[in-house]
Amino acid sequence: QVQPVESGGGLVQPGGSLRLSCAFSDPFFSIYTMTWHRQAPGKQRELVATITGGGRTNYTDSVKGRFTISRDNDKDMVYLQMNSRKRDDTAVYYCRRDRRGAYWGQGAQSTVSS
């Protein structure tokens, strides 16, 4: 099984933008549905965004219109562009294949604070 590797986390001010990246080196990557999850302090992990192999996307209501999930099948990469960030977006963000038992990565911490 492949373990995702997230990168790009950091500190941004409210209203700012950040892009997270996820490397998922797998010869069949292009057909996998991939997801981004997040876990805020003291809260359960939640699904944020999904992208199918064909590029169909879905988002949780709280990030619709602000976050964009995308993928580059040539590079085996998934991205999460986060705009108009709010303090409630502070969390550790995880990339994961949408499959029961798939590995979690280490995550990328993203903090929204002035």
Side-chain angles (χ1 to χ4, degrees):
Q1 278 221 49
V2 175
Q3 185 169 30
V5 179
E6 301 93 343
S7 62
L11 174 66
V12 296
Q13 293 186 341
S17 297
L18 193 71
R19 188 178 83 155
L20 301 178
S21 300
C22 171
F24 194 90
S25 181
D26 187 298
F28 300 103
F29 171 79
S30 66
I31 66 172
Y32 296 159
T33 294
M34 298 296 296
T35 63
W36 281 99
H37 292 72
R38 68 184 178 186
Q39 186 164 21
K43 295 187 177 180
Q44 289 192 332
R45 195 173 295 182
E46 66 168 341
L47 176 62
V48 174
T50 302
I51 186 166
T52 67
R56 276 202 323 273
T57 59
N58 197 28
Y59 302 91
T60 192
D61 286 346
S62 62
V63 308
K64 282 181 181 176
R66 300 189 299 118
F67 289 14
T68 302
I69 187 172
S70 61
R71 66 192 298 158
D72 185 334
N73 288 335
D74 290 333
K75 297 181 179 178
D76 292 356
M77 296 289 292
V78 183
Y79 305 99
L80 187 68
Q81 177 67 42
M82 303 183 289
N83 299 330
S84 302
R85 307 258 353 249
K86 304 175 181 179
R87 286 185 173 82
D88 287 349
D89 294 328
T90 294
V92 179
Y93 285 76
Y94 300 90
C95 165
R96 185 173 184 256
R97 179 186 170 190
D98 186 27
R99 179 180 184 271
R100 185 185 298 272
Y103 285 176
W104 294 95
Q106 298 275 2
Q109 174 68 49
S110 179
T111 301
V112 183
S113 176
S114 54

